[in-house]
Amino acid sequence: MLQCWRALAIPLLVSIASAFAASSQSFENSAIVRTVDLGGSLVHVTTTFAARALEPNANAYTITLTEEEIHRTSWLEVKVKGQQQPLTVTYGGGLPDSKFYNLDVQLPSPLELNSTVNIVLETIQTHATYPWPERATQQDEQALKHNTTLFVLSPYKTNVQRTKVKTPSPEVRSYTTPKDVDAFTLESPVTKSGATITYGPFNNLPVSASNEWIAKNQQLISMHYKYDYPVLELTKVKRAAEISHWGANLNIQDDIVLYNAGPELKGHFSRLEHQTQSFYKRSAAHVIPSLSIHLPAGIHDVYYYDLVGNVSTSRLRTAPSVPKNSKSNQYSVMELRPRYPLLGGWNYSFTLGWDSPLEDSASYDQTTGKYIVQVPIMTDLPGSVTNDCEVKIILPEGATDVEYVLPFPAISTEESTHVTYLDTLGRPAITFKYKNLTTKHAKSIYVSYKVPFSVHFRKPIAVATALLSLFVFGMVARRVDLTLQKKTA
């Protein structure tokens, strides 16, 4: 088997190299502009490729990402500039032993010779920044570092290339000045204006998607900048969504582990210092005293507790229910104040749950006889990343013909049976697992199922049987004499 694979490997590598060489002749980049918006847990990167077709009927454009970009990227979307419909992207792989990977983008229509198209690649990177210095006192400011590569790799020749790095604050403590780039620019390789650092323009770049070019020319650049907001990470989120037809209710409960990914606390925590900062409204950026979470409209019976018990230092402003598929942006606001301020490197575990009318998220298809329920994957906490997320959807007891549609693939899917009070055989449940979720992933899973009419009588029959059994047991128990010796007159 091993010898057979080795025999097939040689023609396979030849075909990959031939395809790579052919693709490098199909386009030329008139310009590449990359914009990096730095943040805390998330970094938004937008790259625009102005491409010109060098052959007729060119219908596939190849984008090259480095190995580090592939590992950091949590969300990716490619569009033609000015259009809303995303393009189909397939993983094209890379050459053997290469440190870059290719993505093949299918264009909406083939291009004629010398026709141009502007392709926009938008990505969100997670865990792409880190605190520097790594430790800070309660009075210190917070600063982060971000590392990236100087050049955008491409399998095509590029006439002009720029990289713009936008920091949240003009207070940039340091940034890298590239070296040995005189072959590509006659100007200063880096300039700073306010909160924007610009690398380039770099002119007349050859095909850069090769190990030889990367080893010779590619270099790492770093930005050290002030950041005035907490760096939030949700280490683990376990969501249970229970659908109840008897109560016409959708219950959602999140078990959350919140982590402050800012600089770790240097020394001991001072309650007096924290109260003083709060009084003068000058709390350090790396201290989290409270959170504001957007919850769905129309919810009720909201509860929030941690390992100690119920947390009463929270406020909720509910919004009325909105019709399904409505474009209204109404939402409820939960002002959540943890039991203690969360400093860098600290965790806080808590549970947040609520009920909502089932009619707000469910519908019935009369043609198929199926119920369709919309279950949100996550609760959006702006600026945060969810490292591990588990979504468990618990269907009504007796549900059959279960199907689901995911907005994006899950890492794993598991089917099980969930048993709770007043159940007889248990309820079907589906569990989905995800990693590195961001604001862009705050979408919904659609689950469809059937509930036979006879199943609705299962719970009343079970309750009636239990009560009857208890009544019969009481009658029999009263007539049983368990004394060892009867009394004599």
Side-chain angles (χ1 to χ4, degrees), residues 108-119:
S109 58
L111 298 179
E112 297 300 328
L113 180 64
N114 292 324
S115 296
T116 59
V117 63
N118 289 334
I119 300 173

PDB file of all heavy atoms in Angstrom, residues 108-119:
ATOM      1  N   PRO A 108     -18.089  35.228 -10.826  1.00  0.00           N
ATOM      2  CA  PRO A 108     -19.498  35.144 -11.258  1.00  0.00           C
ATOM      3  C   PRO A 108     -19.645  34.811 -12.735  1.00  0.00           C
ATOM      4  O   PRO A 108     -20.575  34.103 -13.124  1.00  0.00           O
ATOM      5  CB  PRO A 108     -20.051  36.542 -10.943  1.00  0.00           C
ATOM      6  CG  PRO A 108     -19.095  37.148  -9.995  1.00  0.00           C
ATOM      7  CD  PRO A 108     -17.767  36.538 -10.249  1.00  0.00           C
ATOM      8  N   SER A 109     -18.741  35.315 -13.559  1.00  0.00           N
ATOM      9  CA  SER A 109     -18.776  35.052 -14.999  1.00  0.00           C
ATOM     10  C   SER A 109     -17.348  35.115 -15.531  1.00  0.00           C
ATOM     11  O   SER A 109     -16.509  35.859 -14.994  1.00  0.00           O
ATOM     12  CB  SER A 109     -19.667  36.061 -15.734  1.00  0.00           C
ATOM     13  OG  SER A 109     -19.210  37.378 -15.511  1.00  0.00           O
ATOM     14  N   PRO A 110     -17.035  34.349 -16.592  1.00  0.00           N
ATOM     15  CA  PRO A 110     -15.678  34.358 -17.150  1.00  0.00           C
ATOM     16  C   PRO A 110     -15.322  35.753 -17.672  1.00  0.00           C
ATOM     17  O   PRO A 110     -16.164  36.502 -18.162  1.00  0.00           O
ATOM     18  CB  PRO A 110     -15.750  33.326 -18.275  1.00  0.00           C
ATOM     19  CG  PRO A 110     -16.927  32.471 -17.950  1.00  0.00           C
ATOM     20  CD  PRO A 110     -17.900  33.352 -17.247  1.00  0.00           C
ATOM     21  N   LEU A 111     -14.045  36.088 -17.539  1.00  0.00           N
ATOM     22  CA  LEU A 111     -13.545  37.382 -17.995  1.00  0.00           C
ATOM     23  C   LEU A 111     -12.921  37.255 -19.377  1.00  0.00           C
ATOM     24  O   LEU A 111     -12.309  36.236 -19.708  1.00  0.00           O
ATOM     25  CB  LEU A 111     -12.501  37.922 -17.014  1.00  0.00           C
ATOM     26  CG  LEU A 111     -12.965  38.198 -15.580  1.00  0.00           C
ATOM     27  CD1 LEU A 111     -11.804  38.709 -14.748  1.00  0.00           C
ATOM     28  CD2 LEU A 111     -14.121  39.184 -15.557  1.00  0.00           C
ATOM     29  N   GLU A 112     -13.094  38.298 -20.154  1.00  0.00           N
ATOM     30  CA  GLU A 112     -12.447  38.342 -21.461  1.00  0.00           C
ATOM     31  C   GLU A 112     -10.993  38.807 -21.292  1.00  0.00           C
ATOM     32  O   GLU A 112     -10.589  39.266 -20.221  1.00  0.00           O
ATOM     33  CB  GLU A 112     -13.205  39.296 -22.385  1.00  0.00           C
ATOM     34  CG  GLU A 112     -14.637  38.871 -22.670  1.00  0.00           C
ATOM     35  CD  GLU A 112     -14.722  37.516 -23.347  1.00  0.00           C
ATOM     36  OE1 GLU A 112     -13.788  37.182 -24.129  1.00  0.00           O
ATOM     37  OE2 GLU A 112     -15.704  36.788 -23.111  1.00  0.00           O
ATOM     38  N   LEU A 113     -10.241  38.705 -22.332  1.00  0.00           N
ATOM     39  CA  LEU A 113      -8.842  39.120 -22.301  1.00  0.00           C
ATOM     40  C   LEU A 113      -8.743  40.605 -21.944  1.00  0.00           C
ATOM     41  O   LEU A 113      -9.466  41.439 -22.495  1.00  0.00           O
ATOM     42  CB  LEU A 113      -8.189  38.845 -23.662  1.00  0.00           C
ATOM     43  CG  LEU A 113      -6.707  39.219 -23.792  1.00  0.00           C
ATOM     44  CD1 LEU A 113      -5.872  38.365 -22.849  1.00  0.00           C
ATOM     45  CD2 LEU A 113      -6.246  39.052 -25.234  1.00  0.00           C
ATOM     46  N   ASN A 114      -7.871  40.906 -20.966  1.00  0.00           N
ATOM     47  CA  ASN A 114      -7.604  42.265 -20.480  1.00  0.00           C
ATOM     48  C   ASN A 114      -8.769  42.871 -19.687  1.00  0.00           C
ATOM     49  O   ASN A 114      -8.735  44.064 -19.362  1.00  0.00           O
ATOM     50  CB  ASN A 114      -7.222  43.209 -21.626  1.00  0.00           C
ATOM     51  CG  ASN A 114      -5.871  42.857 -22.228  1.00  0.00           C
ATOM     52  OD1 ASN A 114      -4.964  42.437 -21.513  1.00  0.00           O
ATOM     53  ND2 ASN A 114      -5.746  43.019 -23.536  1.00  0.00           N
ATOM     54  N   SER A 115      -9.794  42.084 -19.378  1.00  0.00           N
ATOM     55  CA  SER A 115     -10.867  42.574 -18.508  1.00  0.00           C
ATOM     56  C   SER A 115     -10.365  42.613 -17.060  1.00  0.00           C
ATOM     57  O   SER A 115      -9.465  41.873 -16.672  1.00  0.00           O
ATOM     58  CB  SER A 115     -12.097  41.671 -18.608  1.00  0.00           C
ATOM     59  OG  SER A 115     -12.630  41.699 -19.903  1.00  0.00           O
ATOM     60  N   THR A 116     -10.959  43.486 -16.276  1.00  0.00           N
ATOM     61  CA  THR A 116     -10.518  43.657 -14.891  1.00  0.00           C
ATOM     62  C   THR A 116     -11.654  43.337 -13.927  1.00  0.00           C
ATOM     63  O   THR A 116     -12.838  43.438 -14.271  1.00  0.00           O
ATOM     64  CB  THR A 116     -10.038  45.093 -14.637  1.00  0.00           C
ATOM     65  OG1 THR A 116     -11.113  46.010 -14.909  1.00  0.00           O
ATOM     66  CG2 THR A 116      -8.840  45.423 -15.518  1.00  0.00           C
ATOM     67  N   VAL A 117     -11.278  42.974 -12.712  1.00  0.00           N
ATOM     68  CA  VAL A 117     -12.237  42.692 -11.648  1.00  0.00           C
ATOM     69  C   VAL A 117     -11.576  43.039 -10.315  1.00  0.00           C
ATOM     70  O   VAL A 117     -10.362  42.855 -10.142  1.00  0.00           O
ATOM     71  CB  VAL A 117     -12.681  41.208 -11.671  1.00  0.00           C
ATOM     72  CG1 VAL A 117     -11.499  40.272 -11.415  1.00  0.00           C
ATOM     73  CG2 VAL A 117     -13.798  40.953 -10.664  1.00  0.00           C
ATOM     74  N   ASN A 118     -12.365  43.582  -9.395  1.00  0.00           N
ATOM     75  CA  ASN A 118     -11.882  43.886  -8.046  1.00  0.00           C
ATOM     76  C   ASN A 118     -12.459  42.852  -7.081  1.00  0.00           C
ATOM     77  O   ASN A 118     -13.684  42.794  -6.872  1.00  0.00           O
ATOM     78  CB  ASN A 118     -12.298  45.288  -7.622  1.00  0.00           C
ATOM     79  CG  ASN A 118     -11.554  46.360  -8.374  1.00  0.00           C
ATOM     80  OD1 ASN A 118     -10.435  46.142  -8.839  1.00  0.00           O
ATOM     81  ND2 ASN A 118     -12.155  47.532  -8.517  1.00  0.00           N
ATOM     82  N   ILE A 119     -11.597  42.042  -6.511  1.00  0.00           N
ATOM     83  CA  ILE A 119     -12.002  40.964  -5.607  1.00  0.00           C
ATOM     84  C   ILE A 119     -11.641  41.380  -4.185  1.00  0.00           C
ATOM     85  O   ILE A 119     -10.504  41.786  -3.914  1.00  0.00           O
ATOM     86  CB  ILE A 119     -11.299  39.644  -5.977  1.00  0.00           C
ATOM     87  CG1 ILE A 119     -11.680  39.242  -7.408  1.00  0.00           C
ATOM     88  CG2 ILE A 119     -11.657  38.543  -5.001  1.00  0.00           C
ATOM     89  CD1 ILE A 119     -10.910  38.053  -7.933  1.00  0.00           C
TER      90      ILE A 119
END
